[in-house]
Amino acid sequence: VKLNWKIQRDMEERGHSLESIMASIEARKPDFDAYIEPQKEFSDYVIEVLPTDLDKEDKKTLKVRAIQKKGIADFNPTYLFDEGSEVTWTPSADKLSSPAPGMKLKYTQEQYFGNDVAV
């Protein structure tokens, strides 16, 4: 998802070629894999940006997950609804400016790298 966004931005706004963008990304990938990706396991809060689940043909709409580790001292988590609740809500497409299926809000309790989290 971020790759597609970066390619689009760098080509349209910065005038870079696809080849130069891909070379830049590939050059940084080993550092990402070694230093960034492993930090997710130890993070108290992770924001994931993923392709949407609502429409498999839609390449522009994103799914965003805010993952909050539970039981962290001096960390006041944010709750979409009440602490510990689980809710899924899909508003009526008639009330949205985007085409159906529009959007979906979900708040749930999960395990992430073996930790209890609110998503």
Side-chain angles (χ1 to χ4, degrees):
V1 171
K2 289 178 262 182
L3 173 65
N4 290 342
W5 172 82
K6 181 172 178 31
I7 290 170
Q8 181 179 0
R9 180 201 63 189
D10 286 359
M11 289 180 78
E12 291 178 6
E13 297 177 15
R14 299 179 178 173
H16 295 288
S17 69
L18 178 59
E19 294 78 20
S20 69
I21 297 165
M22 294 306 294
S24 172
I25 290 169
E26 287 302 316
R28 292 191 312 263
K29 188 164 179 4
D31 287 337
F32 177 86
D33 292 342
Y35 302 108
I36 305 300
E37 185 68 24
Q39 292 182 43
K40 289 181 180 181
E41 181 177 355
F42 306 103
S43 298
D44 296 338
Y45 198 101
V46 175
I47 296 176
E48 291 184 338
V49 180
L50 307 163
T52 182
D53 293 334
L54 298 176
D55 181 352
K56 298 298 182 195
E57 301 300 316
D58 185 350
K59 303 299 181 203
K60 291 189 175 189
T61 304
L62 302 175
K63 171 183 174 179
V64 179
R65 289 173 32 106
I67 303 165
Q68 302 175 95
K69 193 182 291 183
K70 295 180 179 182
I72 303 300
D74 300 320
F75 178 69
N76 296 319
T78 313
Y79 301 108
L80 184 58
F81 296 101
D82 296 326
E83 178 180 2
S85 64
E86 296 204 11
V87 178
T88 300
W89 177 64
T90 305
S92 168
D94 296 339
K95 297 184 179 192
L96 301 173
S97 60
S98 61
M103 65 181 232
K104 178 180 180 179
L105 293 175
K106 182 177 180 181
Y107 183 74
T108 186
Q109 313 305 304
E110 297 180 12
Q111 288 276 309
Y112 189 74
F113 289 103
N115 296 301
D116 291 330
V117 296
V119 181

